[in-house]
Amino acid sequence: TKFWKFMREYHKVKRANGEVFGVREIKEKRPGVIKNFGVQLRWYSRTGPVNTSKEMRDTHLSRAVSRIFNDLAGQHRASFSNVQVIRTCTKDAKDCTRPPVTQFHNSKISFPI
């Protein structure tokens, strides 16, 4: 699996020698609030590895990461096995730089029907 692949690469632990003690899901503290997430990732293109960062607005971190995976698959033909998530964080509105994220930071935004 992907977990054992990274454990073998970064911590020199093989599946035969390692043991998983427990798995638990980390839940959002406030799942009804939209947050800005920043994700630093590395993916392998046809020409070599690419390090990049993406921003996404969502209510759950896991949903934001899966949307980024789908975005990479659609735009760059990167498959799930070729993408490594390095770090995730929650960003304030003032720290966001990408236009698809900052366009929703206006407090007077409205969506007329």
Side-chain angles (χ1 to χ4, degrees):
T1 62
K2 207 169 191 181
F3 172 76
W4 288 112
K5 176 184 172 188
F6 294 135
M7 288 295 288
R8 186 175 61 244
E9 287 180 11
Y10 298 118
H11 300 291
K12 307 295 187 219
V13 176
K14 294 195 306 186
R15 184 175 182 172
N17 297 333
E19 184 175 348
V20 177
F21 292 120
V23 177
R24 61 187 167 106
E25 182 181 0
I26 299 173
K27 296 187 179 184
E28 296 288 331
K29 293 179 182 173
R30 296 184 299 161
V33 178
I34 295 177
K35 295 173 275 301
N36 303 313
F37 293 108
V39 178
Q40 290 184 347
L41 45 96
R42 176 183 185 160
W43 59 279
Y44 293 96
S45 67
R46 293 183 182 96
T47 58
V50 177
N51 294 318
T52 186
S53 64
K54 298 265 186 192
E55 292 176 355
M56 190 67 63
R57 280 177 64 85
D58 212 318
T59 55
H60 293 80
L61 177 63
S62 59
R63 198 177 314 157
V65 170
S66 66
R67 284 177 60 193
I68 288 175
F69 272 94
N70 290 337
D71 184 45
L72 285 173
Q75 288 184 354
H76 302 287
R77 297 284 204 199
S79 64
F80 176 78
S81 60
N82 291 335
V83 179
Q84 298 177 10
V85 176
I86 297 171
R87 185 181 344 181
T88 60
C89 65
T90 305
K91 289 187 160 188
D92 293 331
K94 63 181 179 190
D95 297 332
C96 294
T97 57
R98 314 281 177 175
V101 175
T102 57
Q103 69 182 350
F104 294 108
H105 289 166
N106 185 1
S107 61
K108 298 179 181 175
I109 192 167
S110 64
F111 300 99
I113 295 177

